[in-house]
Amino acid sequence: MSAYWRLSASRAAALSGLLAAAAACSGSLPRLPGRTLYVRKCSACHTLHLPAAYPAERWPAIMEAMKGEAKLTEEEARDIERYVLTAAAQ
Amino acid sequence: MKKMNRSAVCRVLGLLTLAMALGPTPSAQANERRFAYAYESGVMAPGSRELEYWSTWRGGRAEFYSRFDHRLELELGLTDRLLTALYLNWRSVSRNDPANPDTTVTEQEFTGISSEWKYKLTDPVADPVGAALYQEYTLASDEFEWESKLILDKKLGGTLLAYNLVVEPEWKFGPANSEYELWVENVLGVTQFLTPRFAAGLELRNPNLKTRDSTGLQHSALFLGPTLSYSSKDWWVAAAFLKQLPAPKRSLANRQDSLVLDEHEKTNVRILAAFRF
Protein backbone atom coordinates (compact mmCIF):
# COMPACT_ATOMS: atom_id res chain seq x y z
CA MET A 1 0.00 0.00 0.00
CA SER A 2 1.44 3.40 -0.96
CA ALA A 3 2.03 6.22 1.53
CA TYR A 4 -0.77 8.09 -0.19
CA TRP A 5 -3.39 5.50 0.61
CA ARG A 6 -1.97 4.81 4.09
CA LEU A 7 -2.28 8.52 4.95
CA SER A 8 -5.83 8.84 3.62
CA ALA A 9 -6.95 5.55 5.11
CA SER A 10 -5.59 6.42 8.55
CA ARG A 11 -7.32 9.82 8.52
CA ALA A 12 -10.57 8.29 7.36
CA ALA A 13 -10.31 5.63 10.07
CA ALA A 14 -9.64 8.26 12.74
CA LEU A 15 -12.59 10.41 11.68
CA SER A 16 -14.90 7.42 11.29
CA GLY A 17 -13.81 6.36 14.77
CA LEU A 18 -14.92 9.73 16.09
CA LEU A 19 -18.39 9.22 14.63
CA ALA A 20 -18.51 5.62 15.84
CA ALA A 21 -17.62 6.80 19.35
CA ALA A 22 -20.36 9.41 19.15
CA ALA A 23 -22.78 6.73 17.99
CA ALA A 24 -21.74 4.42 20.80
CA CYS A 25 -22.55 7.13 23.33
CA SER A 26 -26.05 7.55 21.96
CA GLY A 27 -29.08 5.34 21.76
CA SER A 28 -31.06 4.61 18.66
CA LEU A 29 -34.82 4.23 18.32
CA PRO A 30 -36.27 1.16 20.10
CA ARG A 31 -36.97 -1.77 17.76
CA LEU A 32 -40.71 -2.17 18.21
CA PRO A 33 -43.52 -2.75 15.70
CA GLY A 34 -44.07 0.43 13.69
CA ARG A 35 -40.45 1.61 13.81
CA THR A 36 -39.77 1.03 10.11
CA LEU A 37 -42.92 2.89 9.14
CA TYR A 38 -42.08 5.78 11.49
CA VAL A 39 -38.54 6.14 10.13
CA ARG A 40 -39.50 5.70 6.47
CA LYS A 41 -42.49 8.03 6.42
CA CYS A 42 -41.33 10.76 8.82
CA SER A 43 -37.59 11.05 8.11
CA ALA A 44 -38.26 11.53 4.39
CA CYS A 45 -39.57 15.03 5.15
CA HIS A 46 -37.86 16.15 8.35
CA THR A 47 -35.25 15.26 10.92
CA LEU A 48 -36.80 12.61 13.16
CA HIS A 49 -38.01 13.66 16.57
CA LEU A 50 -37.30 11.21 19.34
CA PRO A 51 -40.55 9.79 20.79
CA ALA A 52 -39.62 11.21 24.19
CA ALA A 53 -39.14 14.69 22.73
CA TYR A 54 -42.81 15.49 23.35
CA PRO A 55 -45.18 14.62 26.21
CA ALA A 56 -47.46 11.68 25.40
CA GLU A 57 -50.57 13.90 25.36
CA ARG A 58 -49.11 16.01 22.49
CA TRP A 59 -48.49 13.15 20.06
CA PRO A 60 -52.14 12.63 18.95
CA ALA A 61 -52.36 16.30 17.87
CA ILE A 62 -48.97 16.10 16.14
CA MET A 63 -50.06 12.97 14.26
CA GLU A 64 -53.33 14.57 13.28
CA ALA A 65 -51.45 17.57 11.86
CA MET A 66 -48.79 15.51 10.10
CA LYS A 67 -50.81 12.69 8.58
CA GLY A 68 -52.03 14.92 5.77
CA GLU A 69 -48.55 16.33 5.11
CA ALA A 70 -47.07 12.83 4.92
CA LYS A 71 -50.08 11.40 3.04
CA LEU A 72 -50.51 8.68 5.68
CA THR A 73 -53.48 6.35 5.66
CA GLU A 74 -55.53 6.15 8.87
CA GLU A 75 -53.94 2.79 9.62
CA GLU A 76 -50.39 4.09 9.09
CA ALA A 77 -51.04 7.12 11.30
CA ARG A 78 -52.43 4.84 14.00
CA ASP A 79 -49.41 2.47 13.79
CA ILE A 80 -46.93 5.37 14.01
CA GLU A 81 -48.75 6.94 16.94
CA ARG A 82 -48.80 3.60 18.74
CA TYR A 83 -45.06 3.25 18.08
CA VAL A 84 -44.04 6.69 19.40
CA LEU A 85 -46.20 6.34 22.50
CA THR A 86 -44.86 2.84 23.28
CA ALA A 87 -41.25 3.88 22.57
CA ALA A 88 -41.58 7.05 24.68
CA ALA A 89 -42.84 5.03 27.62
CA GLN A 90 -39.78 2.74 27.61
CA MET B 1 -16.47 51.20 16.89
CA LYS B 2 -18.06 53.95 18.97
CA LYS B 3 -19.86 52.95 22.15
CA MET B 4 -23.29 53.97 20.88
CA ASN B 5 -22.87 52.02 17.63
CA ARG B 6 -21.73 48.93 19.49
CA SER B 7 -24.74 49.11 21.76
CA ALA B 8 -27.09 49.46 18.77
CA VAL B 9 -25.48 46.46 17.06
CA CYS B 10 -25.81 44.42 20.27
CA ARG B 11 -29.49 45.40 20.54
CA VAL B 12 -30.19 44.34 16.94
CA LEU B 13 -28.32 41.05 17.41
CA GLY B 14 -30.22 40.44 20.64
CA LEU B 15 -33.57 41.06 18.94
CA LEU B 16 -32.63 38.78 16.04
CA THR B 17 -31.63 36.01 18.44
CA LEU B 18 -34.85 36.45 20.38
CA ALA B 19 -36.93 36.40 17.20
CA MET B 20 -35.23 33.20 16.06
CA ALA B 21 -35.65 31.58 19.45
CA LEU B 22 -39.33 32.51 19.78
CA GLY B 23 -40.29 31.80 16.18
CA PRO B 24 -42.71 28.98 15.46
CA THR B 25 -41.15 25.60 16.09
CA PRO B 26 -39.96 24.44 12.70
CA SER B 27 -40.22 20.97 11.33
CA ALA B 28 -36.60 20.74 10.22
CA GLN B 29 -36.43 19.46 6.66
CA ALA B 30 -34.51 16.28 5.98
CA ASN B 31 -32.43 17.70 3.17
CA GLU B 32 -31.48 21.10 4.54
CA ARG B 33 -27.72 21.57 4.73
CA ARG B 34 -26.19 22.43 8.09
CA PHE B 35 -22.71 22.67 6.60
CA ALA B 36 -21.42 24.42 3.48
CA TYR B 37 -18.91 21.66 2.60
CA ALA B 38 -19.89 18.50 4.50
CA TYR B 39 -22.94 16.60 3.32
CA GLU B 40 -25.49 14.92 5.59
CA SER B 41 -27.31 11.66 4.94
CA GLY B 42 -30.84 13.11 4.58
CA VAL B 43 -32.81 13.01 1.34
CA MET B 44 -36.05 14.65 0.23
CA ALA B 45 -39.57 13.26 0.33
CA PRO B 46 -40.67 11.66 -2.96
CA GLY B 47 -41.89 14.36 -5.34
CA SER B 48 -40.33 17.25 -3.36
CA ARG B 49 -38.31 19.80 -5.33
CA GLU B 50 -35.71 22.33 -4.33
CA LEU B 51 -33.76 25.00 -6.17
CA GLU B 52 -30.32 25.55 -4.68
CA TYR B 53 -27.74 28.21 -5.47
CA TRP B 54 -24.08 27.83 -4.54
CA SER B 55 -21.39 30.46 -4.57
CA THR B 56 -17.80 29.74 -3.52
CA TRP B 57 -15.15 32.43 -3.36
CA ARG B 58 -11.53 31.26 -3.43
CA GLY B 59 -8.97 33.97 -2.83
CA GLY B 60 -5.24 34.42 -2.25
CA ARG B 61 -2.49 32.46 -3.97
CA ALA B 62 1.18 33.30 -4.30
CA GLU B 63 0.07 36.14 -6.58
CA PHE B 64 -3.29 37.88 -6.89
CA TYR B 65 -6.07 35.34 -7.43
CA SER B 66 -9.80 35.71 -6.92
CA ARG B 67 -12.26 33.11 -8.15
CA PHE B 68 -16.02 32.62 -7.87
CA ASP B 69 -17.48 29.17 -8.55
CA HIS B 70 -21.24 29.23 -9.03
CA ARG B 71 -23.69 26.36 -9.22
CA LEU B 72 -27.44 26.28 -9.79
CA GLU B 73 -28.99 23.02 -8.67
CA LEU B 74 -32.44 21.53 -9.16
CA GLU B 75 -33.01 18.72 -6.68
CA LEU B 76 -35.82 16.14 -6.77
CA GLY B 77 -36.82 13.46 -4.25
CA LEU B 78 -37.47 10.18 -6.09
CA THR B 79 -38.17 7.72 -3.26
CA ASP B 80 -37.91 7.91 0.52
CA ARG B 81 -34.25 6.91 0.14
CA LEU B 82 -33.13 8.27 -3.23
CA LEU B 83 -32.75 11.77 -4.63
CA THR B 84 -31.32 13.16 -7.82
CA ALA B 85 -30.16 16.62 -8.88
CA LEU B 86 -29.00 18.46 -11.95
CA TYR B 87 -26.44 21.31 -11.80
CA LEU B 88 -25.34 24.11 -14.08
CA ASN B 89 -21.79 25.24 -13.25
CA TRP B 90 -19.91 28.39 -14.16
CA ARG B 91 -17.02 30.43 -12.78
CA SER B 92 -15.21 33.73 -12.92
CA VAL B 93 -11.45 33.96 -12.28
CA SER B 94 -9.41 37.16 -11.84
CA ARG B 95 -5.62 37.02 -11.72
CA ASN B 96 -2.51 38.92 -12.70
CA ASP B 97 -2.03 39.22 -16.42
CA PRO B 98 1.13 37.17 -17.22
CA ALA B 99 1.96 39.61 -20.05
CA ASN B 100 1.52 42.67 -17.85
CA PRO B 101 1.79 41.85 -14.11
CA ASP B 102 0.52 45.29 -13.08
CA THR B 103 -2.92 44.56 -14.47
CA THR B 104 -5.42 41.81 -13.81
CA VAL B 105 -7.45 39.76 -16.25
CA THR B 106 -10.83 38.22 -15.60
CA GLU B 107 -12.13 35.12 -17.36
CA GLN B 108 -15.66 33.79 -17.19
CA GLU B 109 -16.37 30.24 -18.17
CA PHE B 110 -19.25 27.77 -18.29
CA THR B 111 -17.85 24.71 -16.53
CA GLY B 112 -20.37 22.08 -17.49
CA ILE B 113 -23.33 20.21 -16.10
CA SER B 114 -23.44 17.73 -13.23
CA SER B 115 -25.76 14.91 -12.28
CA GLU B 116 -26.06 13.92 -8.61
CA TRP B 117 -27.49 10.74 -7.09
CA LYS B 118 -27.75 10.18 -3.33
CA TYR B 119 -29.01 7.04 -1.61
CA LYS B 120 -29.75 7.06 2.12
CA LEU B 121 -28.81 3.88 3.96
CA THR B 122 -29.48 4.69 7.62
CA ASP B 123 -30.88 7.58 9.65
CA PRO B 124 -28.79 9.82 11.97
CA VAL B 125 -31.47 9.83 14.69
CA ALA B 126 -33.05 6.38 14.40
CA ASP B 127 -29.83 4.42 13.86
CA PRO B 128 -26.44 4.45 15.60
CA VAL B 129 -24.98 6.32 12.59
CA GLY B 130 -26.68 7.91 9.59
CA ALA B 131 -25.13 6.90 6.27
CA ALA B 132 -25.61 7.64 2.59
CA LEU B 133 -23.82 6.92 -0.68
CA TYR B 134 -23.36 9.77 -3.16
CA GLN B 135 -22.39 9.90 -6.82
CA GLU B 136 -21.88 12.99 -8.95
CA TYR B 137 -20.83 13.13 -12.60
CA THR B 138 -19.65 16.38 -14.18
CA LEU B 139 -19.20 16.79 -17.90
CA ALA B 140 -17.57 19.88 -19.41
CA SER B 141 -16.22 20.53 -22.89
CA ASP B 142 -12.70 19.40 -21.90
CA GLU B 143 -13.17 17.57 -18.60
CA PHE B 144 -14.98 14.69 -16.91
CA GLU B 145 -15.21 14.33 -13.11
CA TRP B 146 -16.63 11.40 -11.18
CA GLU B 147 -17.18 12.14 -7.50
CA SER B 148 -18.10 9.45 -4.97
CA LYS B 149 -18.84 10.13 -1.33
CA LEU B 150 -19.41 8.06 1.75
CA ILE B 151 -21.51 10.23 4.04
CA LEU B 152 -21.75 9.53 7.76
CA ASP B 153 -23.58 11.68 10.29
CA LYS B 154 -24.99 11.55 13.79
CA LYS B 155 -27.35 13.81 15.70
CA LEU B 156 -26.69 13.83 19.44
CA GLY B 157 -29.20 16.07 21.15
CA GLY B 158 -28.52 19.54 19.78
CA THR B 159 -25.19 18.58 18.21
CA LEU B 160 -24.76 17.33 14.66
CA LEU B 161 -21.60 15.56 13.48
CA ALA B 162 -20.90 14.79 9.84
CA TYR B 163 -17.99 13.12 8.07
CA ASN B 164 -17.51 12.63 4.33
CA LEU B 165 -14.90 10.57 2.53
CA VAL B 166 -14.72 11.91 -1.03
CA VAL B 167 -12.94 10.18 -3.92
CA GLU B 168 -12.87 12.05 -7.21
CA PRO B 169 -10.93 11.09 -10.33
CA GLU B 170 -10.76 13.80 -13.01
CA TRP B 171 -9.85 13.50 -16.67
CA LYS B 172 -8.88 16.64 -18.60
CA PHE B 173 -8.72 16.38 -22.35
CA GLY B 174 -6.38 18.69 -24.24
CA PRO B 175 -5.77 18.93 -27.99
CA ALA B 176 -2.45 17.10 -27.68
CA ASN B 177 -2.69 15.02 -24.52
CA SER B 178 -4.91 14.23 -21.54
CA GLU B 179 -4.34 14.71 -17.81
CA TYR B 180 -5.51 12.53 -14.96
CA GLU B 181 -5.85 13.64 -11.33
CA LEU B 182 -7.17 11.82 -8.31
CA TRP B 183 -8.58 13.83 -5.39
CA VAL B 184 -9.25 12.20 -2.03
CA GLU B 185 -10.79 14.46 0.57
CA ASN B 186 -11.81 14.14 4.20
CA VAL B 187 -14.47 16.59 5.38
CA LEU B 188 -15.55 16.83 8.99
CA GLY B 189 -18.22 19.10 10.42
CA VAL B 190 -19.60 19.65 13.87
CA THR B 191 -22.38 22.09 14.60
CA GLN B 192 -24.56 23.02 17.55
CA PHE B 193 -28.22 23.99 17.24
CA LEU B 194 -28.51 27.25 19.18
CA THR B 195 -32.22 27.41 18.32
CA PRO B 196 -34.27 24.87 16.31
CA ARG B 197 -33.57 26.99 13.21
CA PHE B 198 -30.06 28.31 13.73
CA ALA B 199 -26.84 26.31 14.10
CA ALA B 200 -23.19 27.32 14.42
CA GLY B 201 -20.12 25.13 14.23
CA LEU B 202 -16.82 24.31 12.56
CA GLU B 203 -15.80 22.60 9.33
CA LEU B 204 -12.49 20.94 8.54
CA ARG B 205 -11.42 19.97 5.01
CA ASN B 206 -8.43 17.90 4.03
CA PRO B 207 -8.09 17.67 0.22
CA ASN B 208 -5.30 15.41 -1.11
CA LEU B 209 -4.11 15.34 -4.71
CA LYS B 210 -2.44 12.53 -6.60
CA THR B 211 -1.43 13.07 -10.22
CA ARG B 212 -0.44 10.53 -12.81
CA ASP B 213 3.19 11.68 -12.61
CA SER B 214 3.63 11.86 -8.83
CA THR B 215 4.53 8.63 -7.04
CA GLY B 216 3.03 9.83 -3.74
CA LEU B 217 0.78 12.73 -2.92
CA GLN B 218 1.22 15.92 -4.89
CA HIS B 219 0.01 17.72 -1.78
CA SER B 220 -2.27 17.42 1.23
CA ALA B 221 -3.93 20.67 2.33
CA LEU B 222 -5.94 21.56 5.41
CA PHE B 223 -8.73 24.11 5.86
CA LEU B 224 -10.59 25.04 9.03
CA GLY B 225 -13.24 27.61 9.83
CA PRO B 226 -16.65 28.48 11.20
CA THR B 227 -19.93 27.46 9.63
CA LEU B 228 -23.41 28.90 10.16
CA SER B 229 -26.82 27.72 8.99
CA TYR B 230 -30.41 28.85 9.25
CA SER B 231 -33.51 27.04 8.05
CA SER B 232 -37.15 27.90 7.65
CA LYS B 233 -40.07 25.83 6.36
CA ASP B 234 -39.50 26.71 2.70
CA TRP B 235 -35.90 27.87 2.53
CA TRP B 236 -32.49 27.50 4.17
CA VAL B 237 -29.01 28.99 3.98
CA ALA B 238 -25.59 27.72 5.04
CA ALA B 239 -22.21 29.45 4.92
CA ALA B 240 -18.63 28.66 5.85
CA PHE B 241 -15.46 30.74 6.03
CA LEU B 242 -12.39 28.52 5.84
CA LYS B 243 -8.73 29.53 6.19
CA GLN B 244 -5.94 27.30 4.95
CA LEU B 245 -3.70 25.93 7.72
CA PRO B 246 -0.11 24.69 7.33
CA ALA B 247 -0.25 21.69 5.03
CA PRO B 248 0.23 18.11 6.30
CA LYS B 249 2.14 17.61 3.03
CA ARG B 250 3.53 20.63 1.19
CA SER B 251 3.07 20.94 -2.55
CA LEU B 252 5.75 19.24 -4.64
CA ALA B 253 5.60 22.34 -6.85
CA ASN B 254 6.64 24.64 -3.97
CA ARG B 255 8.14 22.94 -0.93
CA GLN B 256 9.17 26.27 0.65
CA ASP B 257 5.64 27.40 1.40
CA SER B 258 3.80 25.84 4.33
CA LEU B 259 0.51 26.52 2.50
CA VAL B 260 -0.53 24.82 -0.72
CA LEU B 261 -1.04 27.77 -3.05
CA ASP B 262 -0.71 26.24 -6.50
CA GLU B 263 -4.04 24.38 -6.44
CA HIS B 264 -5.65 26.00 -3.39
CA GLU B 265 -6.05 29.45 -1.87
CA LYS B 266 -5.54 31.04 1.53
CA THR B 267 -9.28 31.59 2.01
CA ASN B 268 -12.41 29.78 0.86
CA VAL B 269 -15.90 31.15 1.52
CA ARG B 270 -19.01 29.25 0.49
CA ILE B 271 -22.66 30.28 0.69
CA LEU B 272 -25.58 27.99 -0.15
CA ALA B 273 -29.18 29.13 -0.39
CA ALA B 274 -32.15 26.91 -1.24
CA PHE B 275 -35.88 27.31 -1.82
CA ARG B 276 -38.42 24.51 -1.84
CA PHE B 277 -41.30 24.66 -4.28
Side-chain angles (χ1 to χ4, degrees):
Chain A
M1 187 190 274
S2 72
Y4 170 66
W5 290 112
R6 273 201 305 274
L7 185 68
S8 291
S10 62
R11 280 189 197 137
L15 294 171
S16 301
L18 187 67
L19 268 178
C25 297
S26 73
S28 51
L29 286 178
R31 297 194 177 275
L32 299 167
R35 182 186 189 273
T36 304
L37 191 64
Y38 173 58
V39 173
R40 191 161 60 84
K41 290 288 183 180
C42 303
S43 75
C45 294
H46 58 78
T47 304
L48 279 180
H49 299 286
L50 292 172
Y54 298 105
E57 59 271 21
R58 274 197 66 191
W59 274 111
I62 293 171
M63 288 309 304
E64 190 58 37
M66 294 308 298
K67 76 179 180 193
E69 296 268 340
K71 299 183 177 67
L72 300 176
T73 64
E74 289 294 334
E75 189 183 358
E76 287 172 333
R78 217 171 26 247
D79 287 350
I80 291 174
E81 187 176 323
R82 192 178 304 126
Y83 172 76
V84 291
L85 291 175
T86 312
Q90 284 199 337
Chain B
M1 193 184 289
K2 286 179 182 170
K3 197 174 178 181
M4 205 164 111
N5 288 346
R6 195 167 53 221
S7 141
V9 168
C10 289
R11 211 174 304 136
V12 170
L13 285 176
L15 283 172
L16 277 175
T17 308
L18 191 66
M20 286 189 292
L22 298 179
T25 304
S27 183
Q29 302 294 306
N31 195 44
E32 67 198 8
R33 299 268 304 264
R34 288 298 176 181
F35 304 101
Y37 287 89
Y39 277 73
E40 297 146 62
S41 62
V43 292
M44 298 173 76
S48 304
R49 290 159 304 185
E50 191 175 89
L51 193 63
E52 205 172 303
Y53 173 71
W54 300 40
S55 188
T56 307
W57 178 71
R58 301 167 55 167
R61 289 192 174 181
E63 295 182 345
F64 174 74
Y65 186 88
S66 174
R67 166 173 161 178
F68 283 94
D69 291 317
H70 304 283
R71 307 188 87 185
L72 188 63
E73 177 189 3
L74 177 63
E75 206 161 66
L76 176 67
L78 294 178
T79 73
D80 51 18
R81 288 182 180 271
L82 180 68
L83 73 73
T84 186
L86 189 67
Y87 295 79
L88 296 176
N89 311 311
W90 68 101
R91 73 175 167 222
S92 163
V93 182
S94 299
R95 67 177 102 209
N96 283 346
D97 183 353
N100 184 2
D102 292 337
T103 61
T104 58
V105 288
T106 299
E107 293 168 357
Q108 301 203 30
E109 186 184 8
F110 176 67
T111 47
I113 56 171
S114 307
S115 170
E116 169 192 326
W117 297 84
K118 183 175 169 190
Y119 187 79
K120 179 181 173 179
L121 299 169
T122 56
D123 186 86
V125 175
D127 299 302
V129 176
L133 298 175
Y134 177 104
Q135 291 282 297
E136 185 182 317
Y137 311 97
T138 299
L139 185 63
S141 59
D142 58 350
E143 193 172 332
F144 177 68
E145 298 173 9
W146 172 21
E147 184 179 343
S148 302
K149 284 188 174 88
L150 169 66
I151 301 168
L152 301 175
D153 60 356
K154 182 65 192 171
K155 192 153 187 290
L156 293 163
T159 305
L160 178 66
L161 286 162
Y163 167 69
N164 301 169
L165 174 64
V166 187
V167 179
E168 185 181 1
E170 293 181 8
W171 293 267
K172 291 175 185 167
F173 308 106
N177 57 356
S178 66
E179 276 180 44
Y180 168 77
E181 291 182 342
L182 176 62
W183 289 90
V184 177
E185 181 166 346
N186 297 293
V187 187
L188 182 69
V190 58
T191 195
Q192 179 70 32
F193 285 82
L194 302 176
T195 77
R197 292 170 184 265
F198 179 66
L202 286 172
E203 283 192 78
L204 177 77
R205 286 180 63 218
N206 167 228
N208 302 277
L209 174 64
K210 166 91 173 69
T211 61
R212 186 180 281 161
D213 303 328
S214 60
T215 50
L217 283 176
Q218 180 77 20
H219 68 247
S220 174
L222 204 57
F223 291 84
L224 178 70
T227 188
L228 299 171
S229 63
Y230 181 82
S231 69
S232 180
K233 188 172 187 299
D234 297 319
W235 59 271
W236 58 263
V237 291
F241 179 92
L242 306 188
K243 293 292 285 182
Q244 193 182 153
L245 303 178
K249 183 176 192 312
R250 296 180 180 194
S251 172
L252 294 180
N254 182 6
R255 292 172 195 263
Q256 309 302 316
D257 203 331
S258 65
L259 302 181
V260 178
L261 296 177
D262 48 338
E263 294 269 357
H264 297 290
E265 302 74 30
K266 293 173 186 167
T267 306
N268 285 185
V269 181
R270 176 174 287 175
I271 296 173
L272 310 176
F275 303 88
R276 302 182 184 96
F277 61 99

